[in-house]
Amino acid sequence: MSKPINIVFAGLGGHGVIKASDIFAQVAFQAGKDVKKSEVHGMSQRGGSVSSDVRIGENIQSPMIPDGESDFLIVLSEDQIPNNKHRLKEGGVLITSEVLTGKLKVKKSLNVALLGCLSSYLDIDEEIWLSEIKKSFPENMYDKNVESFTIGKTVAQETQTA
Amino acid sequence: MNAPIPQKLLLSGNEAVAEAALDCGVTLGTGYPGTPSTDILEHFAKIGGKAQWAPNEKVAMEVGLGVAFSKSRSLVTMKHVGVNVAADPLFTSAYTGVDGGMVIITADDPGMASSQNEQDNRRYAVAAGIPMLEPSNSQEAYEFTFKAFEISEKWNIPVFLRMTTRICHALTGVEKSVSIAPPAKPGYEKNIQSRVMIPAFARPAHVKLRQKLADIEVFNDDSDLNTVTGTDSSFGIITSGVTFMHCREAMPDAKILKIGMCYPLPIQSIREFAKSVDRCMVIEEGDPYLVEAIRAAGISVEGKAEMFRFGELNVKKVRKIIDGDTTEPPAIPRGKAPELCAGCPHQTSFNVLNKLGCIVAGDIGCYTLGVLPPYSGMDTCICMGASIGIGLGLRHSLPREQAIKVVSVIGDGTFAHSGMTGLMEMMYNRPEYGHLVIILDNGTTAMTGMQESPTTGRALDHSNAPQISLEGLVKACGVEYLDVIDPYYDQDRYEELIKERLASEKTAVIIARRQCVISNKKIKAYEKEQDSGCQEGGCDHE
Ligand code: SF4
């Protein structure tokens, strides 16, 4: 059985960490993967550190990613890197908001742009990503979100070929 | 009822329970908000179930019991510490039994992500004599809810479904593949001997309960609730709940007995399993409940080291348990602690109380964060409603110069939950130097995600409901001073008021009323919906 792909989303409460991981979990699920996602709700959301684990593959067991076994770490605010780095496996990919500095027109859609970055590493149809993004936000934000998603995707593709 | 159409959904354990409750034809879902249980009833209401918040868990348990006395099905939800509040009706409901189905959700919080303790409520099942099922993912959360209703109705007994944080809030795939006979037609049948627990009737009821539990144990041994998977019999694991998933990942081939019904335990199946493997280890999160019960039955098994009693388990910890590795894991940098939001109405209260050198008996809510710097404005926090009693005890016993600095601080929701009796105590057994209670009325149950309560004027689905007046309750108790103030705009006057009321050495209540800044927008939206007649609404988590 192939190993799962593990993705940790991290940031501060209220910044869209859970929303991003919710969207991604649905995307992977719609793409026919087995998905497990878990995080902790409650006190941690009053501006404190928040992280969410998503695992996708064929047959996922634990909903929690063991420390040091994450393939991707997506961080929505830079100051959350030190307390989450240990989640990443050796050679794992760290995706941070830094790559997007100055490129996003709508700062609020950072989480969507980071999903764009992640999409460039995974073999899932863009259509599925966009349809889940559409479902997750008000109608009138869709065009801006598509733009942010595309910026994220392009930036990440450039860094991979560079 | 038509058989459900199988379709795969990605659901949290909480959503799965709510879906199952709807598919089982539950008449009423009732409970009290508390992480990680809150969104069960919210989802139930969203998909069309009838759900309501009770003032506290005890009332919810009683309402649920009443529903089940009418042959209907009831779902009662709460977090682990909520069961402490509901324990009184719970224990005796095992004696009375039920006519319809009654399923009680206890959502435990190992690791205390958002709780004041990490009590293991499997102990409640044993203490009260209430059967308990434990799902290991959302699929089982869905199926076990059906099973729990079946068991409840077959033996006329309330049944616990024990969830933990990683079941409640983990999204996993669910197929709606089970069904159940429709509920009976509601109607009351007189049955005084079973339902009126005077000693003469309770004595035989207890004997009957023990007989039921013995029968349920036999059923459990023969049921498909407990499963054996894996092929390698050189090492066997006995486990339950989400820990099964960690074990399966850590030991992909090991033979594992997953216990789906953890009370009464399927001792015969456990005995056979232990015999079928060379080495047998019990791996469980929290208290050593399984291992103690299994050893008490004379079955020799290995257990985990004491250090693994604390916090959640995960794959790494399971590997360490198996290897007998008790080294401390490397320290990792701590994340940012939560804090009161910018503009939170509670901020001024704790600044002022800290400045005045008060001894603050605190309570449970967002405002518990007032204990952290820069406020450092809380001295005790025990459980829902405890602020008033603790404050009074301090007032009764401290020397005058300290006693007159004691203040009890409690939120509006917590006051409705269990603060009122404390207020009666304050008036009935008045401390010599009086007492001051501050009710922080932010108009919502903010910490669990903006739920409604009897004092907000809105029901669980945010539609209009009668609003119970805090002022009216305080006045009815005959408190000597009652003031209502905006703690944010009237900061200076607020500080003066607290000083005056403390100096008066009388009984006083200050209602510090200002809407939670985060809920403000949502509440405006609810009000607009009410005006336009639309009742749709839901709550997200961030
Ligand atoms: S959610 Fe509301 S009550 Fe809670 S800290 Fe924020 S503003 Fe204060």
Side-chain angles (χ1 to χ4, degrees), chain A residues 46, chain B residues 339-346 366-367 369 442 444 446-447 450 516-519:
Chain A
R46 298 282 164 273
Chain B
E339 57 186 26
L340 294 176
C341 306
C344 172
H346 299 325
C366 278
Y367 52 93
L369 294 169
N442 64 350
T444 182
M447 190 176 76
M450 314 302 161
C516 154
V517 287
I518 303 298
S519 74

Side-chain angles (χ1 to χ4, degrees), chain A residues 14 16-19 29 36-38 40-41 43 45-49 55 61-62 64 67 69 82-83 86, chain B residues 9-10 113-114 166 169-172 245-246 248-249 316 319 332-333 335-336 338-339 366 446-447 541-542:
Chain A
V17 175
I18 308 284
K19 184 99 177 179
F29 193 67
K36 285 196 179 175
K37 171 188 129 102
S38 95
V40 168
H41 292 183
M43 276 268 210
Q45 300 202 359
R46 298 282 164 273
S49 296
R55 317 188 74 186
Q61 304 295 341
S62 173
M64 297 149 82
D67 286 352
E69 294 186 22
N83 52 311
H86 67 284
Chain B
L9 304 159
L10 187 61
S114 191
R166 301 292 175 171
H169 287 156
L171 298 186
T172 67
M245 298 295 169
H246 308 324
R248 181 41 82 220
E249 183 161 335
K316 286 228 152 135
R319 286 184 192 131
I332 40 168
K336 185 168 168 289
E339 57 186 26
C366 278
M447 190 176 76
H541 271 278
E542 274 200 68

Side-chain angles (χ1 to χ4, degrees), chain B residues 259-296:
Chain B
I259 295 180
M261 184 162 172
C262 64
Y263 183 76
L265 279 172
I267 287 295
Q268 223 22 59
S269 314
I270 293 170
R271 198 182 302 279
E272 279 156 29
F273 177 80
K275 263 194 227 146
S276 78
V277 292
D278 301 341
R279 229 184 114 184
C280 189
M281 186 178 246
V282 176
I283 302 184
E284 60 190 316
E285 198 165 63
D287 285 356
Y289 159 70
L290 290 175
V291 78
E292 283 173 6
I294 292 168
R295 283 176 180 159

Side-chain angles (χ1 to χ4, degrees), chain B residues 82-94:
Chain B
V83 180
N84 302 336
V85 179
D88 209 354
L90 173 77
F91 276 64
T92 306
S93 73

Side-chain angles (χ1 to χ4, degrees), chain A residues 71 81 99 105 146:
Chain A
D71 299 275
I81 297 174
V99 287
K105 288 186 199 128
V146 172

Side-chain angles (χ1 to χ4, degrees), chain A residues 2-76:
Chain A
S2 64
K3 282 194 130 198
I5 302 175
N6 297 325
I7 299 106
V8 174
F9 293 81
L12 294 173
H15 287 186
V17 175
I18 308 284
K19 184 99 177 179
S21 67
D22 271 337
I23 296 172
F24 174 61
Q26 280 298 343
V27 167
F29 193 67
Q30 296 308 329
K33 316 244 184 241
D34 187 23
V35 177
K36 285 196 179 175
K37 171 188 129 102
S38 95
E39 74 259 335
V40 168
H41 292 183
M43 276 268 210
S44 52
Q45 300 202 359
R46 298 282 164 273
S49 296
V50 177
S51 71
S52 177
D53 292 7
V54 186
R55 317 188 74 186
I56 68 173
E58 281 171 40
N59 190 5
I60 312 291
Q61 304 295 341
S62 173
M64 297 149 82
I65 301 170
D67 286 352
E69 294 186 22
S70 190
D71 299 275
F72 296 91
L73 171 61
I74 301 176
V75 185
L76 277 82

